[in-house]
Amino acid sequence: MRQWTSFYEYPFACLTCLEHDINQFNESMAISGKNNVLLGLADLLDKNKPEILQKNELDMRAYSDMDESMRDRLKVDENKVDGMIRSLREVASQDDPEGKTLYELTRQDGLKIVNRTVPFGAILIIYESRPDVTIEAAATAFKAGNRILLKGGKESFNTNIYLTGLWQQALSENGFDANFVEYLNLSRHETQKLIQENTRKVDVIIPRGGDNLIRFVTENASVPVIVSGRGNNFMYVDDDCDAEMAIRLIINGKKRISVCNALDKVLINKNISGLEDNIANFVSQLNRAGIEVWGSAEISELNASINVTDDEKVLFEEFMAPKIYFALVNDINEAIGMINRYSGGHSAVIVSNDIQKADAFMQKVNCAAVYHNASTRFTDGGQYGVGAEIAISTQKLHFRGPICAQELVTNKWFVYGDGHIRE
């Protein structure tokens, strides 16, 4: 930006330059203001870590009979708080998503047409159990200039209310309206009414939770929905593969059972060398890791430790449990067909030494993220180098995969004229 000591030093012919520089200055101030909020919030989390853990302990005690998966999602320890702090600082360091020029044209008649990114407006995030969503998901929406309405589950109420209070403190201390991030303490009925009637005039709804929540929102919302899709992720073990690599990826895929990038299904090519021995190795290592192995009647004939089920519903199910399902397939095409029918469209892996096969698999599988010889656990905005995500979208519109700050904008056409009319 050029430095001028006063308005009158501008060349008269360059008054448009003044307008341009003022706009640049205002944009710069807005960007630094948002980043100051995010960095201020990171400092508040660090300063108030004992209080955050205390509030979370209240929630944990109130739901002491929860299962292992919910406990993992609800629990906040020092590592999780440190993760929130890192996410805030990463988002603050990213390029600003607002105001990017996507297209620009000056016509022969002087009419100037510019297409720029702008915020959606107000985003409603409905989520269950995970208090880190209150920080990380809201941060991505805020970085893109959106207002955020948070509706968390009753099980994490104390933690969420406290974290929202820190959000509002950081906003106020940096000149923003404290209600730019707002927590909605609503009953189930009130939440359903909000979704159906859009009583808070939101522009986008992002449901993060189980199938029932996602189904209700998508079927009843009167505004666009970004679906944070379920996992139910598949691996295909090719006949030409490194079997030891395969079991490492399987074990890693079940390292955390409560996350949407966990591995649930493994399809093994019948023609793999040493089929029975490899299955025995896979099963024994999973059992030692505390993972139950289920499978079709066909594969269970090769290993008595596999729990038998041929219920097709299991193939559609996201387990969120220390459980995995094995099945045999004749070839890569059968594996691709099963994945496209049964998976959640989130992540899928091929373990193979054949690059051509791997490329065909990755092109044909209908998932947001596809992997060759790597774990599904990498499907994460931070792991992809794009920062904290608000969701992992399994939709094809308006974006797919990790939805981060850069994706939480839409576009608008700005047209500048001087009395132009269309003849």
Side-chain angles (χ1 to χ4, degrees), residues 241-253:
C241 78
D242 180 336
E244 287 302 317
M245 176 193 292
I247 187 57
R248 287 199 306 274
L249 300 181
I250 293 168
I251 294 290
N252 186 254

Side-chain angles (χ1 to χ4, degrees), residues 52-70:
I52 297 169
L53 301 183
Q54 182 184 40
K55 297 296 182 184
N56 186 249
E57 184 59 31
L58 292 175
D59 290 328
M60 296 294 291
R61 286 205 299 266
Y63 289 88
S64 57
D65 60 343
M66 69 188 103
D67 61 30
E68 183 181 348
S69 176
M70 182 175 172

Side-chain angles (χ1 to χ4, degrees), residues 353-379:
N353 296 323
D354 189 320
I355 294 175
Q356 289 184 328
K357 275 189 188 177
D359 184 62
F361 177 93
M362 297 170 83
Q363 293 294 336
K364 293 177 182 178
V365 163
N366 187 20
C367 289
V370 287
Y371 293 86
H372 178 204
N373 293 344
S375 170
T376 58
R377 295 281 289 111
F378 285 105
T379 308

Side-chain angles (χ1 to χ4, degrees), residues 85-377:
I85 293 169
R86 280 195 306 274
S87 292
L88 288 167
R89 291 174 177 161
E90 286 173 2
V91 173
S93 70
Q94 294 172 353
D95 291 342
D96 198 89
E98 285 190 78
K100 289 185 176 180
T101 298
L102 304 175
Y103 171 86
E104 187 171 356
L105 170 71
T106 301
R107 293 164 29 123
Q108 288 185 347
D109 60 4
L111 189 69
K112 185 177 181 181
I113 301 167
V114 183
N115 187 230
R116 296 195 191 102
T117 57
V118 295
F120 280 119
I123 296 178
L124 169 62
I125 310 172
I126 306 175
Y127 54 110
E128 300 168 347
S129 304
R130 292 183 53 186
D132 45 339
V133 171
T134 305
I135 298 298
E136 296 178 6
T140 64
F142 176 75
K143 176 77 174 191
N146 300 287
R147 283 189 63 238
I148 301 102
L149 300 175
L150 298 165
K151 173 61 185 80
K154 61 183 180 181
E155 67 281 354
S156 52
F157 177 77
N158 292 291
T159 318
N160 285 337
I161 287 293
Y162 188 79
L163 292 174
T164 304
L166 296 181
W167 254 116
Q168 295 182 336
Q169 182 179 339
L171 287 161
S172 296
E173 289 176 351
N174 288 279
F176 282 75
D177 178 358
N179 287 324
F180 212 80
V181 175
E182 187 177 355
Y183 192 83
L184 305 180
N185 183 18
L186 304 177
S187 68
R188 183 184 182 87
H189 174 73
E190 290 169 330
T191 303
Q192 291 176 342
K193 184 177 180 180
L194 169 60
I195 293 165
Q196 292 170 320
E197 301 178 14
N198 194 18
T199 53
R200 299 297 293 262
K201 300 188 184 303
V202 301
D203 296 285
V204 176
I205 301 177
I206 301 177
R208 294 188 52 160
D211 286 344
N212 290 337
L213 170 64
I214 292 171
R215 187 180 305 112
F216 183 86
V217 174
T218 54
E219 291 177 356
N220 291 276
S222 57
V223 298
V225 177
I226 296 176
V227 174
S228 183
R230 65 191 181 93
N232 192 27
N233 302 311
F234 277 66
M235 173 188 290
Y236 167 59
V237 180
D238 188 37
D239 56 329
D240 179 9
C241 78
D242 180 336
E244 287 302 317
M245 176 193 292
I247 187 57
R248 287 199 306 274
L249 300 181
I250 293 168
I251 294 290
N252 186 254
K254 295 303 294 185
K255 190 172 182 180
R256 285 191 65 193
I257 61 172
S258 68
V259 290
C260 61
N261 57 26
L263 181 68
D264 276 344
K265 311 295 189 308
V266 178
L267 308 177
I268 303 172
N269 191 301
K270 293 178 181 178
N271 299 310
I272 188 173
S273 178
L275 175 63
E276 194 166 342
D277 289 341
N278 279 313
I279 291 173
N281 182 38
F282 293 172
V283 172
S284 65
Q285 291 204 45
L286 284 162
N287 287 163
R288 283 200 298 272
I291 308 298
E292 290 184 6
V293 181
W294 289 75
S296 64
E298 180 184 26
I299 198 169
S300 67
E301 290 179 2
L302 301 177
N303 191 289
S305 297
I306 296 176
N307 300 287
V308 183
T309 177
D310 277 320
D311 186 350
E312 188 182 26
K313 291 180 182 177
V314 172
L315 289 164
F316 288 104
E317 185 182 348
E318 181 183 22
F319 292 147
M320 290 285 178
K323 175 181 176 181
I324 199 163
Y325 178 91
F326 278 22
L328 297 175
V329 292
N330 291 305
D331 54 32
I332 188 173
N333 291 322
E334 185 180 357
I336 291 168
M338 288 185 66
I339 293 167
N340 288 344
R341 173 170 171 74
Y342 297 113
S343 84
H346 189 292
S347 301
V349 182
I350 179 172
V351 184
S352 178
N353 296 323
D354 189 320
I355 294 175
Q356 289 184 328
K357 275 189 188 177
D359 184 62
F361 177 93
M362 297 170 83
Q363 293 294 336
K364 293 177 182 178
V365 163
N366 187 20
C367 289
V370 287
Y371 293 86
H372 178 204
N373 293 344
S375 170
T376 58
R377 295 281 289 111

Side-chain angles (χ1 to χ4, degrees), residues 218 225-229 345 368 392-401:
T218 54
V225 177
I226 296 176
V227 174
S228 183
I392 303 290
S393 173
T394 53
Q395 297 169 302
K396 295 184 180 179
L397 292 176
H398 82 111
F399 207 81
R400 206 175 188 189

